Amino acid sequence: MLDQTTLDRLRSASVAEGHHLVDGAWIAASDGGRMEVISPLDGTILTTIAAGTTQDANSACAAARRAFDDGRWSGLAPSARKAVLLKWAALIEAHAEELSVLGVRDNGTEIAMALKAEPGSAAATIRYYAEAIDKHYGQIAPTAHGTLGLIHPEPVGVVAAIVPWNFPLMIGAWKLGPALAAGCTVVLKPAETASLSLIRLAQLGQEAGLPDGVLNLVTGAGAVVGEALSLSQDVDVVTFTGSGSVGRRLMHNAAASNLKRVYLELGGKSPNIVFADAPDLNEAATVSAAGIFRNSGQVCVAGSRLLVERSIHDSFVDKLERHARTTVVGDPLDPATQAGAINSLRQLEQNLSFVEEARLAGRTVLGGSRILTETGGYFMEPTIVTGVNPADRLAQEEVFGPVLAVIAFDTEEEAIAIANGTKFGLASGVWTADLSRAHRMVSRIRAGVVHVNTYGGADLTVPLGGVGQSGNGHDKSLHALDKFLNLKTAWIKL
Ligand code: NAD
């Protein structure tokens, strides 16, 4: 953990203006446009970043195309790419404190979480794929005598990586690690409200020896920069984490341009199901509360729908209420804070509107208000809404805030029906001591991840991806490499 002196120094350090990285040079937007970065900690202007234009995005894609086609990266031995990536991972670790605080200052995550989830995870991810790539072999097909079928994995080409604001370094690295290890070149598009730590990450990548044009970065509005990336003829793959509406747009643009591959990691309304026979209901309450309130619920896999067996509903909700009341919400740069700021005023207002709608529909709301602070930052109380109907908007749509919808159920069958009754399928949780029931639930819940007697914390070795409208690709694990490798067949007559 950071000592207070370092924290105070980093908290008040001036933040450099952000620029695009194109072909190894840090440059301004083509029309000189700038975008303000508002700190969610106090609503002040932290700095400005380049407001990318369509031309900027196209220049970055062209640079990535050239860098891919001339083989300056894809043509290296995997062990040579690995050496650069390992150096990058080491540099990220060496700058972990600076990166964490910088990220917190524009996205609002509590520092304890940022230290755990951001640079540490980014470095580990880049190292994981660096270590994997020189052990990744092609295959020889089991053909008849007289022919040889060779299957060569080859880098796909230029990757546009478009990432959200909640964990920019961790999610950014989930894209950058496997794409760069595979030999692809990348144009990275950070979210408007979380660009700073990724800009610094890219600077460290240059320092580590990534050749010019291999990693490019364009900041600015998604509707301009992201739109241009998804329409680019130079881009072969879009890997995206963010909202369903943008995901839909990306697929549309891929179809309208060059049929680039589009991998989507989208939102969720993840059910966390607590049966009366859970092995430890106190632990279930502690972990379930953390699973929705940490990072103020701005977590894609947040267990935002609590399905609880009716016989324990009241006592379990009491336990959760205690956690909600005692969760320390506030200054993200105080190490004791358990839930930091809401990323933007727009997101805060969206969270509050969900709660207001539930209140008007007669649901019981604990918490639910904006927390007013002297600094004027964006903070919200951990909120529990009980008596929610599975058809309510609160039970069907992602809030992406610290709002837990609680629904009672009577039978396993009913729990499964409610759990599967949304358009999403990202994560889920089951709390039970019955081994057979646990396995039944794992097989019947429609989700990319089913946690059993825990929630969250699945590490890099396992894939993360959704089903239904939660997405179509996987980040993490060796499977993530598949998105960035083509399989080329050589069919040889001997
Ligand atoms: P968002 O969709 O608004 O933005 C994500 C990114 O897309 C940003 O970089 C943004 O600038 C860009 N973008 C916006 N409009 C675009 C357009 N027209 N074309 C191309 N790009 C565009 O999402 P957000 O608000 O930043 O993030 C929150 C969402 O991300 C939530 O739905 C959350 O569940 C999801 N998320 C999913 C995962 C996962 O792994 N499945 C992880 C984290 C967050």
Side-chain angles (χ1 to χ4, degrees), residues 162-167 171 174-175 189-193 220-228 230 240-247 249-250 253 264-268 298-301 346-347 398 400 426 464-466 470 475:
I162 305 177
V163 297
W165 46 261
N166 55 339
F167 293 102
I171 295 173
W174 288 349
K175 321 288 190 197
K189 156 75 181 81
E192 293 84 331
T193 53
V224 178
V225 177
E227 186 80 1
S230 59
F240 170 77
T241 296
S243 60
S245 55
V246 174
R249 182 91 200 132
L250 297 174
N253 287 351
L264 305 174
E265 308 290 337
L266 307 174
Q298 301 167 123
V299 178
C300 58
V301 296
R346 193 176 64 114
Q347 181 67 46
E398 183 178 47
F400 217 56
L426 189 55
L464 171 65
S470 286
D475 282 328

Side-chain angles (χ1 to χ4, degrees), residues 326-351:
T326 53
T327 297
V328 183
V329 186
D331 178 9
L333 288 173
D334 180 341
T337 294
Q338 294 174 314
I342 305 299
N343 177 252
S344 64
L345 194 53
R346 193 176 64 114
Q347 181 67 46
L348 175 60
E349 282 165 357
Q350 181 179 307
N351 298 349

